Structure formats: C-alpha cells, structure tokens
Amino acid sequence: EAQVTQNPRYLITVTGKKLTVTCSQNMNHEYMSWYRQDPGLGLRQIYYSMNVEVTDKGDVPEGYKVSRKEKRNFPLILESPSPNQTSLYFCASSLSAYYNEQFFGPGTRLTVL
Amino acid sequence: GENVEQHPSTLSVQEGDSAVIKCTYSDSASNYFPWYKQELGKRPQLIIDIRSNVGEKKDQRIAVTLNKTAKHFSLHITETQPEDSAVYFCAEPDNAGGTSYGKLTFGQGTILTVHP
C-alpha cells in the first residue's frame, strides 16, 4: 500500500530533550516536506527536500533540523525542544515539487512541557 | 515567500446549499492552485487542483475557478452534505521566476460546517 508513515504518533517530552520524528514514504517520491499545524494558522512549512541531500527552509525553520540521506526517509529533528514547538506535525511527499499532489502522513502530536 | 489569504475562516451552511471559499495570492507568476480537505482528526487530502491555463475545473459537486487578473481562486461546493464538513485549505507553490523552489504556502484554512 502506497503511504507516508510517521513515528511516533504522539509524544510528550520536556524542554531541551532532543527528539526525532521519523517520516518514511514508499512511493519513490522525490519531494518531501514537513509542516506544523496550529489553530488559526493553517499548515506552515518547516523544511522541504527536493531530492536526496537537497534540503531547504520553509517558512518556520527555526528550532528544527532535517536530513535526507535516503530517498524514502526525511526525519525531523528538534535538538532542544521548547514549549512553543508544541504542535501537530505532518510529513508529506509528492512526485516532485510542483504540479503534484502532496500525500500526507497521519500526523504527530507533540507536546513540550 | 508567497502570501495566501483565505476567506472566510468559518462557514456554516444548511445541507443542500452551496459553499464558496476564496483564496487570494500575491505572485502573478503562480500557475498551480490546489485545494485540500482535512476531516476532523485526519490528514489533509487533495480534493481538486487547477493549472493556470484553464479558468475552471469541475469534479462532481466540487469546482475550482481561477481569476488570474484579480489573483484569486475559489472552491465551490454545490449541494453540500454533512460529510463535506471539514477544514479546507488552499495552497500556492513558490514559483519565483517561473522555476519551482519547493516552498508551498497554505492558506489559514476554512472550517466548513454543513447542518443537516
């Protein structure tokens, strides 16, 4: 089954404790992206990747890191989480960056205390 | 980056009525406009999209219209049903200079409620 998976689905952590949210797709998509969703603010892009070893900042990259060592995986790293990073996070992938449907993962609900 | 304004933020209609959601964008070079639907507790999913070489696209009860002169595009849902209740997002890819840079800007979302 073609899909985007994320893990964990739910995470409660404390300020400053490094964490990684994994994202994987099995559709051989070139483009992958991370978004955060907050009430009233819609979906805001954190980072995106046009292909392996190619990543770039979205609109809200501060406090996040990403890597794209393999085509299928695009982990999101929070080196020192803070409470303002409490949010719902979505990973997405598409065949390429433009003119293509974004396939979203199920989301990760992160709470930073 | 792009600036996408979506209105209204909430929309309440009676079953069977039509619903219209509008997005305004800033980059006149933009040429691809998707709409996503997010049901409660679920992930966003593409429901319809349009490219700038057409002014309207329909898929059963949903349609998207594009006005490039005014730089806005709208989602139209006819004969609304309770299962249309969801959050709807428009989006605009970054198209600076006609080359995709990979950024994708979403509107703020519209909460549509269809009352039976």
Side-chain angles (χ1 to χ4, degrees):
Chain A
E1 181 190 353
Q3 59 181 345
V4 179
T5 57
Q6 293 178 229
N7 281 293
R9 295 288 313 281
Y10 303 90
L11 180 60
I12 300 174
T13 189
V14 295
T15 299
K17 186 177 181 182
K18 181 179 178 179
L19 67 92
T20 299
V21 184
T22 64
C23 173
S24 184
Q25 50 92 7
N26 62 0
M27 296 171 279
N28 201 35
H29 284 169
E30 289 187 350
Y31 181 89
M32 297 185 74
S33 183
W34 277 102
Y35 302 90
R36 61 177 289 173
Q37 184 174 23
D38 303 288
L41 297 177
L43 291 156
R44 293 182 292 166
Q45 192 174 42
I46 303 170
Y47 269 96
Y48 61 93
S49 170
M50 304 280 273
N51 213 324
V52 176
E53 301 292 359
V54 180
T55 63
D56 212 339
K57 297 177 181 177
D59 290 321
V60 288
E62 294 77 20
Y64 304 95
K65 284 175 57 177
V66 293
S67 68
R68 187 91 182 273
K69 294 184 170 58
E70 308 163 279
K71 200 170 189 178
R72 64 184 294 127
N73 296 324
F74 190 45
L76 179 70
I77 303 155
L78 284 72
E79 295 269 5
S80 183
S82 62
N84 64 10
Q85 293 178 298
T86 293
S87 188
L88 177 60
Y89 291 86
F90 286 101
C91 178
S93 72
S94 64
L95 203 56
S96 64
Y98 215 78
Y99 292 139
N100 288 120
E101 177 179 0
Q102 297 273 307
F103 290 87
F104 284 83
T108 295
R109 174 75 66 182
L110 173 66
T111 301
V112 183
L113 302 175
Chain B
E2 305 309 318
N3 184 24
V4 179
E5 294 289 330
Q6 182 173 343
H7 296 282
S9 56
T10 61
L11 181 57
S12 184
V13 300
Q14 289 295 130
E15 183 176 0
D17 288 350
S18 295
V20 181
I21 304 169
K22 181 178 175 179
C23 278
T24 304
Y25 61 96
S26 57
D27 185 359
S28 57
S30 292
N31 54 15
Y32 174 65
F33 306 94
W35 283 94
Y36 287 81
K37 175 184 180 182
Q38 185 180 26
E39 296 177 356
L40 188 63
K42 302 277 183 70
R43 69 194 79 186
Q45 290 186 295
L46 181 76
I47 53 171
I48 196 167
D49 56 16
I50 191 170
R51 301 188 185 189
S52 63
N53 56 344
V54 297
E56 182 176 6
K57 183 178 177 181
K58 285 185 179 179
D59 183 3
Q60 298 181 358
R61 294 187 298 107
I62 61 172
V64 55
T65 57
L66 173 64
N67 184 328
K68 289 215 75 178
T69 303
K71 292 193 284 188
H72 64 73
F73 58 109
S74 299
L75 177 70
H76 304 256
I77 306 174
T78 58
E79 300 171 33
T80 53
Q81 300 167 5
E83 51 264 39
D84 294 328
S85 296
V87 182
Y88 291 83
F89 294 97
C90 61
E92 183 198 10
D94 191 337
N95 190 42
T99 303
S100 168
Y101 285 88
K103 282 187 69 177
L104 185 62
T105 301
F106 282 83
Q108 297 86 350
T110 297
I111 302 172
L112 174 64
T113 304
V114 180
H115 299 282

